[in-house]
Amino acid sequence: MNWWKALLTWPHLLHVYLKMGSMTKKVLKDPTLVSEGKRYIWLKKKTKYFRWLYDVKVVAHDINNWPKHKGCVLVANHQSNFDFIILLSLNDYSLYAPLGFIAKSELKQNKLARRFVFLIDVLFIDRKDPRSALETFKEAQDLIRNPGRTMVIFPEGTRSHKQEMNEFKPGALKLAYQAYVPILPVSIVNSYQIFDKKFRGKKTIHVVFNKALDPKQFMHLPSNKLASQIQNTIKASIDQWDNKK
């Protein structure tokens, strides 16, 4: 975080923090108290502020590969906690289905994360309970189809904190098989630098929207081969934009 910016705008930062908490309390009490549209639009607007606060410039490549006006499964590498903000900031609701996320259940216990994860469609998986994945994927299928969501999955299972990816877990891709929707492989480049003290000044994050896979292209593939194929696609774009401004 750029601390002089935080000090300069601390009243606004405090307002955002308190507003998130207030809206979350209302949503947990009764989701109809704050409309879904209002929550998504408010959070998207705030992503611009947080990008400025952390000196982050985001450059999107080939975003037209994002399937328009329909649900899909967005599969991305995961370098830092800022990845959520980066993807939300690029989500144009007039063109693409709003983002939903599948995240580990531990996120619900994080005091800061709790202030926003309940404002949008974030579904949780308890990694100690295999049944929770089945239930979560069933709920995710419903969201993809109605009202229409781009569900984000990070198949590494956790942040890598580096440019190199951890191995993709094939089980994370079962949602795409079950929902029978396109898979959009997305490469997030350099976001690990945002919280690394070795990297000072403005950080340029490249987000590459690789060509989407139609269900007919992967339904016949075993999940381990599909995971390897998608990981190789994402890696190729990371290598192309590695540390470029």
Side-chain angles (χ1 to χ4, degrees):
M1 181 186 293
N2 189 316
W3 291 106
W4 76 261
K5 288 183 177 181
L7 288 171
L8 186 66
T9 61
W10 72 264
H12 181 67
L13 184 59
L14 179 61
H15 171 75
V16 171
Y17 181 79
L18 295 176
K19 182 72 172 180
M20 282 196 295
S22 173
M23 283 199 294
T24 293
K25 285 181 180 179
K26 290 180 180 178
V27 170
L28 290 176
K29 182 179 180 180
D30 181 356
T32 64
L33 292 176
V34 185
S35 72
E36 186 178 75
K38 182 177 180 179
R39 286 181 261 140
Y40 266 90
I41 291 170
W42 186 84
L43 274 177
K44 179 173 170 57
K45 286 180 179 177
K46 297 310 167 188
T47 62
K48 184 176 182 180
Y49 170 69
F50 283 109
R51 282 166 50 173
W52 173 80
L53 194 62
Y54 281 87
D55 286 330
V56 171
K57 175 185 176 183
V58 178
V59 181
H61 304 273
D62 301 320
I63 197 169
N64 285 334
N65 283 328
W66 193 333
K68 291 182 174 61
H69 307 298
K70 65 179 181 179
C72 67
V73 175
L74 190 158
V75 178
N77 60 307
H78 193 16
Q79 295 187 357
S80 79
N81 280 335
F82 213 85
D83 295 340
F84 295 93
I85 294 174
I86 291 168
L87 293 174
L88 278 170
S89 72
L90 296 174
N91 191 191
D92 183 345
Y93 306 137
S94 69
L95 295 175
Y96 316 114
L99 289 177
F101 294 87
I102 293 180
K104 56 187 179 182
S105 58
E106 293 91 323
L107 200 62
K108 289 190 289 186
Q109 310 308 319
N110 183 294
K111 291 183 179 180
L112 182 59
R114 276 182 60 85
R115 289 181 169 264
F116 75 88
V117 294
F118 295 107
L119 297 180
I120 58 176
D121 290 304
V122 179
L123 306 180
F124 300 98
I125 290 181
D126 184 350
R127 291 180 291 184
K128 298 178 182 177
D129 180 8
R131 282 189 177 184
S132 81
L134 296 175
E135 295 170 359
T136 298
F137 282 178
K138 175 62 172 66
E139 191 175 351
Q141 288 179 61
D142 294 339
L143 285 174
I144 289 172
R145 294 173 181 144
N146 184 28
R149 289 288 180 268
T150 299
M151 291 305 298
V152 178
I153 293 180
F154 299 113
E156 292 167 275
T158 189
R159 295 154 292 164
S160 64
H161 299 292
K162 57 186 178 181
Q163 203 77 291
E164 296 76 20
M165 287 180 287
N166 298 317
E167 186 176 355
F168 278 17
K169 295 176 173 59
L173 301 175
K174 287 183 179 179
L175 173 60
Y177 288 101
Q178 295 167 356
Y180 197 77
V181 292
I183 294 175
L184 178 62
V186 172
S187 308
I188 301 174
V189 189
N190 300 334
S191 75
Y192 73 97
Q193 298 176 359
I194 296 171
F195 300 111
D196 191 329
K197 293 180 181 179
K198 292 186 298 184
F199 297 91
R200 298 182 178 181
K202 199 170 192 67
K203 291 91 178 173
T204 300
I205 313 303
H206 296 276
V207 183
V208 185
F209 292 82
N210 300 286
K211 190 173 181 181
L213 296 173
D214 187 86
K216 294 177 182 178
Q217 296 177 270
F218 64 79
M219 288 299 292
H220 66 286
L221 292 176
S223 58
N224 61 329
K225 288 189 177 181
L226 178 61
S228 178
Q229 176 182 326
I230 292 173
Q231 185 160 14
N232 288 337
T233 297
I234 291 174
K235 182 181 183 301
S237 293
I238 291 175
D239 291 343
Q240 179 182 359
W241 293 99
D242 185 8
N243 289 309
K244 290 185 179 178
K245 300 297 183 183

